[in-house]
Amino acid sequence: MFLLDTLDNLPRLRISNSLMRVFLWILRELGAPDVPSFDHLRDIQKSICSRSGIPTILAKSHFGNVFYINDPRHLIAQDWASPEVRKHIRIYPEIPEDGVIREIWHAQKWRKDMDCDLLSPMYEGRSAHFYVNELARMKDGRYVIPKRWVTFLQEVYADVLIVEIDDSGFATVLNKESTTLIKASELLRNYLDLEHNGGLPKWADSCADLSVKMPNPKRALAEGDPLYTSFVEYFSDDVSGNRTKQWNKHWNVYMTHRNLPRQLLQQEFHVHFVSSSPHASTTEQYGKFKEIVESTQREPVKVRDGVSGQTTRFSLQNMVEPSDNPMQSEIAASIGAKGNFPCRKCEVGGTQAEKQEDEGYHALFESGTPRSKDEIICELKKQLHLACSSVAQHVKDSQSATGIKDAYAQHWIQDLISRFHATKSDPKNTKTPEEIKADLIQWVMDNRDKIYSGFLTTDGFDPTKDTPVKILHTILLGIIKYIWHNTHTSFSATQKLTYSHRLQATETDGLSIHAIRANYIMQYAGSLIGTQFKILAQTNIFHVRGIVLEEQFSIWRAVGELSALLWFPEIRNLQEYLADIKVAVANVLDTFAKLDPSKMITKIKLHLLAHIPDDITSFGPLVGVATEIYECFNAVFRYCSILSNHLAPSRNIALQLADQEGLKHRLIGGWWQDEKGEWIRAGDGVCQYMCEQPVLRKLLGWTEKPALLIGYVRLKALPKKTSQKLVRLSETLAAGALNYASFDADVQWHYCKYAISESSEECFESSWVFCKSPLPNVPYPGPLIDDEVLWWPQLELNKKCNVECIVLVRNPIRILDKITTPVHNLHSRSPQLDILSPQSSQCFLYESGGAQTADPGRHSRTSP
């Protein structure tokens, strides 16, 4: 029964009812005992899901559209109740001890910008719970008020306000804007202890705003349990429910748990389906989602902690919305790319004539005056009041003049205009137009929560700032696509053939890409997808020289540099990184304007590049908010859509994906409450099954990359019935190395397939790697950058692979410090490098742990 249920709920291997009947028939024919009937199997599955699955809730939008939503509270509760997932959950923002920004909890929004009341409010000490905005006493006797909890050096710290007690016994805070970082373990007495022992001081009148918040209201909601905040990422997209070309539009909503590390969130296992509807728009579906999220702030969700085993509570908070550009514009109430003011993030723009003037055109190269949701709500209020006068043209003029047009509020604008005309034309009407207008304005004021989009009224979420630039749609399917079209359409037949041969000859080692199909790329040059544009972004700079115009070559060079910077997974020096990003963005925009000036006016994606530094500051590396995993999850939705009953697709799809969530939770040993309220889990055999079956783990979308030990090597495969071949060092090419005398020539060696470099990457034979020469005084023809040399190695490694292994390196290729002409003298500050041909046949021996396949400079690079 367990295996049949697992087979029936594999995300990418959906089983129809007919095929399941066939499987059951085959089992019976093979003599398997106790094979259930199809109806009995479905009854058992229904019973299991009702106890350990995800509830599916009926919802109705304010527009009257009905849809179904999988309860986000239970989806996140499963993460807390699963030992395999709970150990990865981060509760507080973190100050990285090495200063490297890797995750969203290292970035500024979570660390500094968010309202402290929306973060995890408490710290669990040894004997008490300490809450923010409450007075506490430290071990040294000082009084403090914690404002925010953070993690540093694997310990919990607190940003606190220092409380001073004057001679009269009154407590004051001299500087409410300045906080001090202390260890949370230094806190001794919480507010309740001080209150019980009579240790609470009297507050000065200047601190009345602080004392009124004590005790923290969330303490009563927690009822003695630990209380934390789980942040979610809300993603929405319009997707076809068909595999054919016939469009069957659904608005889908997915989410991920942002308290988990990026490595997990980029796997399908941790993407959660929330809702889908062919009728209700994204904003309509978000209304119900927001209602559920806000309910957790009034009534936190109770769950069994999968690690500690104690009862824990959490509330939900929406943090970021990384949908594609049209969807983000809709969410931010932007008029869109074709409007006079097309940017959702700032007020840049104007009429077509104004944007063609010097001042207006130059403004498109930079971010303008920032927008805010308060400004948007104020403008929408104005438009709604104009609609109460029944003059639609006045509303359109306001939308054109500000660039603010909310698709959700537009429904009510049209409704207000229709109601005005209906009331005025009613023969029984006795009201004047001014009275009708006043009644409609009063209705708008009384129905504020229904009229305004939930995205604009969610605390802690600003759609103008929390919709980061997507590197998939803005860079790959935007900038790279524009340049590629301009490039390949100018090729002659001979140039196409030349380019195709060059592209196919690309050395792909180290690029982390699929095999290049150059003929396919050229044949379908106008229909490429993100994966293929990723190949072009990395390799085109080497292939188009000599067959494109100088302006086209310059923009490929500029885009290649920007792409490499944007795919950094770690930021070692934020200020230098942002400076490099600004230079790279400016180079792209300048070269694009030189190649095709009109694109700066017509393509909003070019202007959005100017907002990338702000998004990186708020959310960290943009690969952390990349959305490729959601695009991949569309396939899981599509399989459910195809096998749905097509009568109530929203309900049918939600139920099927809720069953899949329940199966995953049971397989990884998650806890759930039974009918008696006791916490139970699946048996040990079920919990261990997924660990013992890596194929099943992969089918469910959770794969863990094995840790690579620096210096580890893998021996070369040999033909069957052949023993390992050992060679002396003197019999290899190492005999000609300059440092050959440093090694024992009689030691025998194994030939190996690859070695693991210091950057934990596999170095194969003929791989390009960075390394340092073991002979610092070896003469080189020309200055080296940071004393680093780019090598072309051949691997011959010691049998003691984890300790003494060395790599034979031959034909060193030097990187000379040759600065080429900058792309644009105003912005370029980073030198461009030329790779020269080999100058000698000298070779060296060096320890494999010293090799680096990534740039060892300021930032850790990965290929796009």
Side-chain angles (χ1 to χ4, degrees):
M1 189 70 74
F2 160 67
L3 292 178
L4 288 173
D5 182 48
T6 302
L7 179 65
D8 193 43
N9 285 293
L10 296 178
R12 288 180 173 267
L13 295 175
R14 298 291 299 114
I15 302 297
S16 65
N17 289 345
S18 299
L19 187 55
M20 179 57 73
R21 295 178 190 273
V22 172
F23 287 159
L24 296 175
W25 169 72
I26 291 175
L27 290 174
R28 283 191 290 268
E29 290 297 313
L30 292 175
D34 302 325
V35 177
S37 66
F38 176 79
D39 292 337
H40 182 57
L41 172 64
R42 288 290 185 252
D43 290 340
I44 294 296
Q45 288 179 313
K46 185 177 181 180
S47 174
I48 294 174
C49 291
S50 65
R51 289 177 290 172
S52 62
I54 301 296
T56 298
I57 304 172
L58 172 65
K60 186 175 182 180
S61 74
H62 292 301
F63 294 176
N65 292 316
V66 175
F67 60 96
Y68 288 79
I69 180 172
N70 287 343
D71 196 337
R73 293 166 294 193
H74 284 75
L75 290 170
I76 301 301
Q78 287 189 346
D79 287 345
W80 284 92
S82 168
E84 288 292 317
V85 181
R86 171 61 183 93
K87 62 185 180 183
H88 297 289
I89 293 178
R90 296 299 183 100
I91 299 172
Y92 308 117
E94 180 178 353
I95 303 174
E97 54 187 284
D98 56 2
V100 179
I101 299 175
R102 300 179 180 88
E103 302 284 353
I104 197 169
W105 50 74
H106 296 152
Q108 182 167 309
K109 178 175 180 179
W110 196 346
R111 172 68 182 92
K112 296 180 179 180
D113 293 347
M114 290 197 70
D115 187 343
C116 296
D117 291 333
L118 301 177
L119 303 177
S120 293
M122 57 82 64
Y123 160 72
E124 186 176 11
R126 292 185 176 181
S127 59
H129 291 174
F130 295 89
Y131 277 76
V132 296
N133 298 329
E134 286 187 351
L135 186 69
R137 193 172 70 189
M138 299 176 61
K139 293 179 180 179
D140 60 7
R142 289 185 297 167
Y143 288 92
V144 296
I145 301 176
K147 299 299 292 183
R148 185 192 309 262
W149 309 105
V150 298
T151 303
F152 180 57
L153 298 174
Q154 299 182 350
E155 292 188 62
V156 178
Y157 282 68
D159 281 330
V160 301
L161 297 175
I162 303 298
V163 178
E164 302 287 347
I165 307 296
D166 61 20
D167 296 337
S168 303
F170 285 92
T172 60
V173 176
L174 300 180
N175 190 346
K176 298 179 183 179
E177 303 299 326
S178 177
T179 60
T180 303
L181 192 66
I182 66 168
K183 283 187 177 182
S185 58
E186 293 298 314
L187 298 174
L188 180 63
R189 300 287 183 226
N190 67 5
Y191 183 86
L192 297 184
D193 292 336
L194 295 174
E195 184 180 43
H196 179 73
N197 297 325
L200 290 177
K202 297 180 180 180
W203 288 95
D205 293 340
S206 61
C207 296
D209 58 327
L210 297 176
S211 61
V212 75
K213 298 180 180 179
M214 302 181 193
N216 192 317
K218 292 186 178 181
R219 183 182 286 276
L221 298 178
E223 298 180 349
D225 297 328
L227 175 61
Y228 305 112
T229 298
S230 279
F231 295 98
V232 297
E233 180 176 281
Y234 185 94
F235 175 86
S236 53
D237 195 9
D238 52 334
V239 185
S240 175
N242 296 346
R243 296 184 64 183
T244 63
K245 292 184 178 180
Q246 182 180 5
W247 186 251
N248 180 18
K249 185 173 182 177
H250 287 68
W251 280 283
N252 289 359
V253 175
Y254 312 135
M255 77 173 186
T256 52
H257 192 181
R258 287 306 316 194
N259 295 53
L260 295 174
R262 183 179 69 238
Q263 183 180 0
L264 294 185
L265 297 183
Q266 292 179 348
Q267 302 193 53
E268 283 185 5
F269 190 96
H270 300 281
V271 177
H272 306 297
F273 172 87
V274 177
S275 60
S276 174
S277 174
H279 310 295
S281 67
T282 294
T283 311
E284 293 178 74
Q285 295 180 57
Y286 183 79
K288 182 62 177 180
F289 181 85
K290 174 177 176 284
E291 178 184 324
I292 294 174
V293 166
E294 291 178 344
S295 71
T296 66
Q297 295 162 9
R298 300 186 300 270
E299 186 179 352
V301 181
K302 183 186 295 187
V303 67
R304 184 188 193 277
D305 191 299
V307 173
S308 66
Q310 66 178 338
T311 301
T312 302
R313 303 187 187 222
F314 68 88
S315 60
L316 296 177
Q317 176 63 41
N318 188 18
M319 172 177 277
V320 60
E321 214 291 352
S323 300
D324 59 19
N325 289 309
M327 187 64 70
Q328 289 179 329
S329 293
E330 179 180 333
I331 288 169
S334 173
I335 198 169
K338 296 183 179 180
N340 289 337
F341 297 86
C343 184
R344 67 178 183 271
K345 290 177 169 289
C346 71
E347 298 177 0
V348 71
T351 63
Q352 291 298 310
E354 291 172 341
K355 286 186 283 190
Q356 292 176 14
E357 296 289 337
D358 289 346
E359 183 178 353
Y361 190 77
H362 178 72
L364 298 174
F365 289 70
E366 301 173 351
S367 57
T369 304
R371 294 188 185 273
S372 68
K373 68 175 183 180
D374 293 334
E375 169 202 341
I376 292 174
I377 291 177
C378 183
E379 174 59 29
L380 290 177
K381 180 179 179 181
K382 175 184 174 182
Q383 293 178 13
L384 289 164
H385 286 190
L386 289 174
C388 294
S389 301
S390 79
V391 184
Q393 188 59 45
H394 291 171
V395 178
K396 293 180 180 179
D397 293 342
S398 177
Q399 293 170 345
S400 298
T402 60
I404 296 175
K405 181 179 180 180
D406 185 15
Y408 184 81
Q410 191 66 22
H411 168 86
W412 300 110
I413 289 174
Q414 297 295 337
D415 180 68
L416 289 170
I417 293 174
S418 299
R419 287 168 59 183
F420 183 96
H421 289 298
T423 303
K424 184 178 179 181
S425 60
D426 187 353
K428 299 180 180 179
N429 174 52
T430 59
K431 297 181 179 180
T432 65
E434 289 299 323
E435 291 175 335
I436 298 175
K437 177 182 177 180
D439 289 345
L440 293 177
I441 291 176
Q442 184 62 45
W443 182 87
V444 169
M445 297 173 62
D446 294 341
N447 292 273
R448 181 180 182 276
D449 293 339
K450 180 167 68 172
I451 291 177
Y452 295 112
S453 165
F455 289 108
L456 298 173
T457 56
T458 299
D459 292 336
F461 177 80
D462 188 337
T464 66
K465 298 179 178 62
D466 299 330
T467 52
V469 174
K470 284 185 58 176
I471 53 179
L472 171 62
H473 285 84
T474 305
I475 305 301
L476 296 179
L477 300 178
I479 312 303
I480 303 296
K481 185 176 181 179
Y482 304 155
I483 304 170
W484 171 242
H485 178 267
N486 185 281
T487 301
H488 80 81
T489 53
S490 65
F491 284 164
S492 65
T494 303
Q495 289 173 328
K496 288 182 179 180
L497 185 61
T498 301
Y499 173 80
S500 181
H501 288 166
R502 290 181 179 181
L503 182 60
Q504 192 60 54
T506 302
E507 173 58 55
T508 59
D509 181 39
L511 291 182
S512 303
I513 60 176
H514 298 290
I516 296 177
R517 300 168 61 193
N519 290 335
Y520 178 92
I521 289 176
M522 284 309 305
Q523 183 178 357
Y524 301 101
S527 304
L528 303 185
I529 60 175
T531 301
Q532 289 146 350
F533 285 123
K534 191 178 292 186
I535 294 173
L536 300 182
Q538 298 176 84
T539 64
N540 254 20
I541 185 63
F542 304 105
H543 305 321
V544 299
R545 190 162 196 167
I547 59 176
V548 297
L549 300 175
E550 183 61 31
E551 292 82 359
Q552 292 173 321
F553 181 78
S554 295
I555 196 170
W556 276 113
R557 181 169 57 183
V559 168
E561 181 180 359
L562 176 62
S563 299
L565 287 170
L566 291 180
W567 265 266
F568 277 18
E570 299 178 351
I571 303 174
R572 298 189 179 276
N573 187 315
L574 180 61
Q575 298 307 317
E576 289 188 9
Y577 178 70
L578 292 178
D580 288 344
I581 287 288
K582 291 177 181 178
V583 169
V585 166
N587 287 338
V588 170
L589 296 181
D590 289 349
T591 52
F592 221 113
K594 186 176 180 181
L595 181 67
D596 189 351
S598 65
K599 285 290 193 293
M600 287 301 304
I601 297 176
T602 59
K603 299 298 183 181
I604 184 59
K605 292 180 180 180
L606 287 168
H607 168 72
L608 287 175
L609 296 182
H611 293 284
I612 287 178
D614 294 333
D615 290 337
I616 292 174
T617 301
S618 296
F619 303 106
L622 288 187
V623 293
V625 288
T627 58
E628 282 88 338
I629 188 60
Y630 295 116
E631 305 289 346
C632 293
F633 195 82
N634 285 338
V636 177
F637 153 79
R638 195 168 289 115
Y639 285 125
C640 294
S641 174
I642 292 170
L643 295 179
S644 70
N645 57 15
H646 301 290
L647 299 177
S650 178
R651 176 180 181 274
N652 202 251
I653 294 170
L655 289 173
Q656 178 56 54
L657 288 165
D659 292 348
Q660 293 182 17
E661 293 284 354
L663 172 71
K664 292 189 293 186
H665 186 62
R666 295 189 293 272
L667 285 175
I668 60 175
W671 296 84
W672 69 89
Q673 280 185 306
D674 62 8
E675 296 85 350
K676 299 179 181 179
E678 298 180 357
W679 292 98
I680 60 174
R681 63 187 294 186
D684 292 340
V686 173
C687 296
Q688 293 296 323
Y689 194 80
M690 185 170 170
C691 298
E692 297 170 355
Q693 302 293 334
V695 173
L696 177 60
R697 194 180 186 95
K698 184 176 181 180
L699 290 173
L700 291 174
W702 189 353
T703 57
E704 293 184 351
K705 186 177 181 180
L708 300 177
L709 180 63
I710 297 175
Y712 173 83
V713 299
R714 184 179 182 86
L715 299 180
K716 276 190 174 181
L718 296 176
K720 292 182 178 179
K721 300 181 180 180
T722 303
S723 60
Q724 286 284 347
K725 180 182 178 181
L726 299 177
V727 294
R728 295 181 184 277
L729 197 63
S730 58
E731 299 172 358
T732 69
L733 294 172
L738 297 182
N739 59 336
Y740 171 71
S742 302
F743 298 87
D744 189 348
D746 294 327
V747 174
Q748 293 185 321
W749 302 78
H750 285 280
Y751 284 97
C752 298
K753 182 179 180 181
Y754 63 80
I756 304 303
S757 69
E758 187 178 334
S759 57
S760 299
E761 295 180 272
E762 298 172 347
C763 300
F764 292 90
E765 186 173 337
S766 300
S767 293
W768 292 89
V769 298
F770 284 95
C771 66
K772 291 187 177 181
S773 170
L775 301 178
N777 297 323
V778 174
Y780 294 106
L784 298 177
I785 294 181
D786 295 334
D787 195 27
E788 293 168 357
V789 182
L790 189 62
W791 304 87
W792 182 272
Q794 173 181 331
L795 306 183
E796 298 179 287
L797 304 164
N798 194 318
K799 185 176 181 179
K800 298 179 181 179
C801 53
N802 291 329
V803 182
E804 302 291 342
C805 65
I806 60 177
V807 180
L808 172 64
V809 181
R810 52 196 295 265
N811 294 341
I813 299 178
R814 293 160 176 76
I815 302 181
L816 301 186
D817 190 6
K818 178 181 177 181
I819 303 178
T820 62
T821 302
V823 176
H824 192 290
N825 292 329
L826 177 63
H827 298 295
S828 292
R829 60 183 281 275
S830 302
Q832 305 292 325
L833 305 177
D834 281 346
I835 300 178
L836 305 184
S837 300
Q839 301 297 324
S840 68
S841 59
Q842 297 172 334
C843 60
F844 306 101
L845 292 170
Y846 69 96
E847 296 184 5
S848 65
Q852 294 184 341
T853 54
D855 186 344
R858 294 189 298 270
H859 323 294
S860 295
R861 299 191 181 195
T862 59
S863 56

